[in-house]
Amino acid sequence: HYTLTLVSPLAEGLGEGTDRSPLLVCCYQPEPLPAGKIPVIVQSHGLASCPEDLATSAQHLASYGYFVVALQHEGSDTAQVRNMLAGNASEVFQWTEFVDRPANISRLLDALQRWNQVEFQDRLNLQAVGVMGYSFGAYTAFALAGAEIQFETLETACNIPLQKPNISLLLQCQALELPRQPYQFRDDRIAAILSIDSLGSELFGMAGIGKIQVPVLLIAGSHDATAPLALEQIRIFQW
């Protein structure tokens, strides 16, 4: 396990608010390296979390020969929450994270392609990558797999008084702060995704989830208070 700071070319066409900063990445490298091409998994942590919170699964995957990279999402991590509690930030997460999270993982893969040639003799398989996302990271995985934001569906849901205990809507509705335009986060290098405690039922809706054309594995938590099983996660599974 080691940490890297990677720099990639600037993302284009994603708006002025798009994060352009260097990427802080935790890497979990299998020992010894497997022969031939090395499969790659990208981990995306949840809101108010950090890459190390998914370390157990990363270490397990690395023990089976996967090279795992876990990106720090700086606008929605533990540091962002500490800054808010200290009065140095106004929100628990930056609404631009709906764009920055998937865009930065694509930037990460761009940077890894160059690093791959130098450090691994081009053995990392970056053309068929898996993404594992937890909660807000599940949104990130869905977006990279091709799910598209449906603003009209989301606005309708967010204008109805919150009567059902689906707390995840408090996060999803923040996407209404985004400029109303089509967002295409699909990265063709993503071959499959694993979503844990999924959220995005109103953010993507049936139409948005239906854009996904890669294999999806969902792991649902029946006691998840933020993204309730019946009101949030099962809806996504059905679609």
Side-chain angles (χ1 to χ4, degrees), residues 16-172:
E16 292 299 324
T18 304
D19 189 8
R20 316 271 204 238
S21 59
L23 305 171
L24 182 63
V25 186
C26 293
C27 300
Y28 299 82
Q29 182 171 317
E31 295 291 348
L33 289 173
K37 282 288 188 178
I38 304 168
V40 176
I41 301 289
V42 178
Q43 288 186 330
S44 179
H45 64 74
L47 177 64
S49 184
C50 62
E52 289 79 8
D53 288 343
L54 297 174
T56 300
S57 59
Q59 292 164 356
H60 179 73
L61 288 165
S63 74
Y64 279 83
Y66 290 91
F67 186 86
V68 183
V69 287
L71 177 63
Q72 181 98 24
H73 296 293
E74 294 185 352
S76 53
D77 60 1
T78 49
Q80 174 73 18
V81 175
R82 292 194 190 102
N83 285 334
M84 185 200 69
L85 294 175
N88 298 322
S90 59
E91 301 290 346
V92 69
F93 74 98
Q94 300 171 17
W95 58 262
T96 51
E97 282 290 87
F98 290 106
V99 172
D100 291 339
R101 277 175 160 262
N104 281 339
I105 287 182
S106 289
R107 289 179 57 214
L108 168 62
L109 295 178
D110 292 341
L112 284 176
Q113 284 180 324
R114 293 192 301 279
W115 189 62
N116 186 21
Q117 295 173 357
V118 175
E119 297 293 333
F120 290 94
Q121 294 74 52
D122 208 30
R123 290 179 58 206
L124 295 181
N125 184 2
L126 297 172
Q127 301 309 311
V129 175
V131 176
M132 172 184 174
Y134 172 74
S135 192
F136 203 179
Y139 155 81
T140 311
F142 287 141
L144 287 162
E148 297 179 4
I149 297 174
Q150 307 294 308
F151 285 107
E152 291 185 5
T153 301
L154 180 61
E155 190 164 38
T156 298
C158 294
N159 285 334
I160 298 173
L162 189 62
Q163 297 175 342
K164 297 178 181 179
N166 187 354
I167 299 174
S168 75
L169 285 178
L170 297 176
L171 185 154
Q172 295 182 60

Side-chain angles (χ1 to χ4, degrees), residues 106 109 126-129 144-146 185-192 214:
S106 289
L109 295 178
L126 297 172
Q127 301 309 311
V129 175
L144 287 162
F185 298 123
R186 171 81 175 103
D187 192 312
D188 290 336
R189 293 168 292 193
I190 307 306
V214 301

